[in-house]
Amino acid sequence: DAGVTQSPTHLIKTRGQQVTLRCSPKSGHDTVSWYQQALGQGPQFIFQYYEEEERQRGNFPDRFSGHQFPNYSSELNVNALLLGDSALYLCASSRILDRGNEKLFFGSGTQLSVL
Amino acid sequence: DAKTTQPNSMESNEEEPVHLPCNHSTISGTDYIHWYRQLPSQGPEYVIHGLTSNVNNRMASLAIAEDRKSSTLILHRATLRDAAVYYCILRDGNNQGGKLIFGQGTELSVKP
């Protein structure tokens, strides 16, 4: 059983460009969450998708958007990249019905560098 | 979500037990206590969670204080592979979904 897979693993972009990151959840999971982790910091919640809709959002600007597909996979899009967007972007999957009792499974992340 | 407080770093010797503390004095009755760890160059990994009673699994044990205002993650025999950042996180049992509020965590180093 494959866990959470993310692509690409590394990406280099320049300021002002747009980027799309992809995530496939663990089999049987229906919820995908995205996190941003700056160097030396804990991950910060960006947003969560369930039933192809954004259900919760953290304190991130509208430049960050996402999408969830019928097969539960997800994309994270970032427009007008800034130097400060350089970070490790993590995807996590879970099952919505597990509520606070749930376990999140994380991918290994996409390392984004903005030059 | 209620916040947690953890020491920034801890050291342990290989094959000795490690007790990682976490304070959560503002915990509510519906908050679950979760622990995740993040090994270098990897995403966080679920370790254990509990609500009121102590919990054991193959990775670790979780000891929860009677008033639930603190908890301790116990690694019974630390190995070099346990060197990681350990995060203590509170999850509202009434809140569906994957929002975890990560703090700085405790960076555990294990000496051979």
Side-chain angles (χ1 to χ4, degrees):
Chain A
D1 172 29
V4 178
T5 58
Q6 293 187 242
S7 62
T9 55
H10 296 81
L11 203 51
I12 299 175
K13 292 286 188 178
T14 57
R15 280 182 300 173
Q17 285 189 313
Q18 178 263 346
V19 68
T20 297
L21 311 181
R22 295 176 176 81
C23 172
S24 292
K26 180 179 170 61
S27 176
H29 285 188
D30 53 15
T31 302
V32 173
S33 303
W34 287 92
Y35 289 78
Q36 180 194 66
Q37 186 173 24
L39 192 62
Q41 304 294 317
Q44 290 201 9
F45 175 77
I46 302 175
F47 42 54
Q48 173 204 56
Y49 275 84
Y50 170 66
E51 290 188 330
E52 303 179 47
E53 290 189 10
E54 183 182 293
R55 298 288 175 160
Q56 295 187 67
R57 189 178 183 92
N59 188 26
F60 280 80
D62 292 344
R63 298 187 297 108
F64 289 77
S65 64
H67 188 76
Q68 185 180 33
F69 299 93
N71 67 353
Y72 307 119
S73 66
S74 176
E75 289 182 348
L76 164 66
N77 300 295
V78 186
N79 293 324
L81 284 168
L82 304 174
L83 295 179
D85 295 331
S86 295
L88 180 68
Y89 288 84
L90 295 161
C91 170
S93 74
S94 59
R95 296 190 315 168
I96 196 75
L97 292 180
D98 290 340
R99 291 180 179 251
N101 208 15
E102 82 242 65
K103 306 173 189 177
L104 265 64
F105 289 79
F106 284 82
S108 295
T110 294
Q111 183 66 53
L112 173 64
S113 300
V114 182
L115 306 179
Chain B
D1 295 289
K3 292 187 177 180
T4 63
T5 304
Q6 301 176 249
N8 288 333
S9 62
M10 291 185 65
E11 278 189 356
S12 172
N13 294 316
E14 197 175 10
E15 298 190 2
E16 289 186 355
V18 182
H19 291 232
L20 298 165
C22 181
N23 288 319
H24 28 78
S25 58
T26 60
I27 190 170
S28 73
T30 57
D31 284 339
Y32 286 81
I33 302 161
H34 285 242
W35 284 81
Y36 283 77
R37 72 179 185 180
Q38 188 170 19
L39 281 65
S41 302
Q42 294 188 27
E45 172 189 31
Y46 168 83
V47 177
I48 200 167
H49 77 284
L51 184 60
T52 56
S53 303
N54 294 343
V55 184
N56 298 296
N57 67 22
R58 64 174 182 81
M59 290 182 68
S61 295
L62 176 60
I64 301 173
E66 196 169 336
D67 63 5
R68 303 210 320 130
K69 293 185 177 183
S70 65
S71 61
T72 303
L73 178 70
I74 302 167
L75 307 179
H76 296 286
R77 290 184 65 207
T79 69
L80 297 179
R81 291 176 296 176
D82 291 322
V85 178
Y86 287 78
Y87 296 99
C88 170
I89 300 165
L90 300 183
R91 288 284 288 119
D92 184 356
N94 292 322
N95 181 12
Q96 292 177 325
K99 181 179 180 180
L100 297 179
I101 307 297
F102 286 84
Q104 290 292 103
T106 296
E107 184 170 11
L108 175 67
S109 57
V110 181
K111 296 183 290 184

